[in-house]
Amino acid sequence: PPWERVARVTVPTQIVVGEKSPAGIQVVANRLAKAIPGAAFVQLAGQNHMVGAKALLPVLSHFLKQ
């Protein structure tokens, strides 16, 4: 993604990546989290790129309640 554009995101943003996701996806997720002002970042332990609903639901619920 054009990093200059993502730096202008002004809505609350949650970046979620699985711990076992491919390295390239993890790199992009980390860059997005750093580039988007105030973005929250969560790496889900034991999860791959297809994160399980049971692991994802608590993270999204917490984010949406903020």
Side-chain angles (χ1 to χ4, degrees), residues 1 8 11-13 17 19-20 30-31 33 35 46 49 51 60 64:
R8 296 192 306 255
V11 296
T13 305
V17 66
E19 173 187 45
K20 296 180 179 179
N30 278 296
R31 278 190 78 181
H49 185 61
V51 173
L60 291 182
L64 293 172

Side-chain angles (χ1 to χ4, degrees), residues 13-59:
T13 305
Q14 173 77 64
I15 307 293
V16 180
V17 66
E19 173 187 45
K20 296 180 179 179
S21 291
I25 291 173
Q26 291 191 34
V27 168
V28 170
N30 278 296
R31 278 190 78 181
L32 283 170
K34 291 176 183 173
I36 298 171
F41 176 83
V42 175
Q43 184 180 59
L44 297 175
Q47 297 293 307
N48 61 24
H49 185 61
M50 299 303 291
V51 173
K54 288 182 181 181
L56 186 59
L57 183 59
V59 172

